[in-house]
Amino acid sequence: MYNEAKEQIHEQFMAEALKQARLALAEGEFPVGCVLVLDKVIIAHGHRQNSEGAGSNEIDHAEVVTLRRMLADQPGVDCTRITAYSTMEPCLMCYSTMLLSGIRRFVWGYEDIMGGGTSMPLARLTPRYREMEVELVSSVLRRQSLLLFGEFFRQYTYWQDSLLADYTLQQVDELEE
């Protein structure tokens, strides 16, 4: 019963992250959406920005955009109580940034086989990381996330011909068979 309830909560908040990802896709951005949840309430949301175009950069990832928004709006929040939901596994930059900010629970939909950071061996790093206890939950509403990334890779050039694009399109093709 407990696991079912927890799974339903994860799906509820991942659905909100998927809404953010759809907004990103509608803007021609890489469809990563993120929500930060405290006590079963969304306290911040955001999506990938500036993945292509004149202002393109690799800093405005959904998790960083969302974390910045939350810290600006609620500077005193206890980040150790936050759960981060993202449509894609956080990359090394996002994962480390959230860890250093105090976030210890991460839930994502689709695995980032090219740059996912959650497999970083914390126990082998410096004491600051080594002592962190982290909860990781993968593949929540994976199919819905996967289909968004497949749609993106079929329409846009960002990360085209990458390992991630190839893997994603292969995964989508297998779903459609």
Side-chain angles (χ1 to χ4, degrees):
M1 177 87 148
Y2 173 75
N3 286 339
E4 261 183 55
K6 197 170 191 178
E7 186 177 321
Q8 287 177 343
I9 289 169
H10 287 331
E11 288 179 359
Q12 172 190 345
F13 290 117
M14 186 59 68
E16 295 300 318
L18 281 161
K19 287 179 185 176
Q20 291 296 312
R22 287 185 193 96
L23 289 173
L25 184 61
E27 295 170 8
E29 298 286 352
F30 197 53
V32 181
C34 178
V35 295
L36 299 179
V37 175
L38 176 66
D39 298 330
K40 299 181 183 176
V41 175
I42 296 173
I43 60 169
H45 56 80
H47 58 78
R48 179 67 162 96
Q49 298 173 358
N50 300 311
S51 52
E52 291 192 297
S56 67
N57 67 69
E58 286 301 328
I59 299 169
D60 294 332
H61 288 199
E63 297 87 350
V64 171
V65 167
T66 307
L67 182 61
R68 281 183 177 157
R69 182 172 291 141
M70 187 272 304
L71 291 172
D73 293 345
Q74 301 178 50
V77 71
D78 179 3
C79 290
T80 63
R81 296 175 42 223
I82 290 174
T83 301
Y85 290 85
S86 183
T87 56
M88 178 171 269
E89 175 187 2
C91 73
L92 187 56
M93 174 186 73
C94 294
Y95 185 55
S96 298
T97 298
M98 289 190 288
L99 284 173
L100 290 172
S101 296
I103 297 172
R104 298 293 186 269
R105 283 176 303 287
F106 302 86
V107 180
W108 65 91
Y110 184 56
E111 65 276 10
D112 182 354
I113 63 149
M114 192 168 78
T118 63
S119 62
M120 179 171 55
L122 298 177
R124 297 180 63 201
L125 300 177
T126 61
R128 182 170 202 162
Y129 289 97
R130 189 178 318 137
E131 296 164 4
M132 294 178 179
E133 291 184 29
V134 180
E135 181 182 343
L136 304 172
V137 180
S138 64
S139 301
V140 175
L141 301 183
R142 181 186 183 273
R143 183 180 190 280
Q144 293 89 325
S145 294
L146 168 62
L147 291 172
L148 281 177
F149 290 105
E151 187 176 338
F152 177 85
F153 284 126
R154 287 185 172 139
Q155 293 180 35
Y156 299 100
T157 60
Y158 180 76
W159 288 113
Q160 211 49 262
D161 300 321
S162 67
L163 176 61
L164 181 60
D166 293 344
Y167 175 79
T168 299
L169 293 173
Q170 178 184 12
Q171 294 288 305
V172 170
D173 288 346
E174 288 176 12
L175 273 180
E176 293 174 347
E177 289 180 350

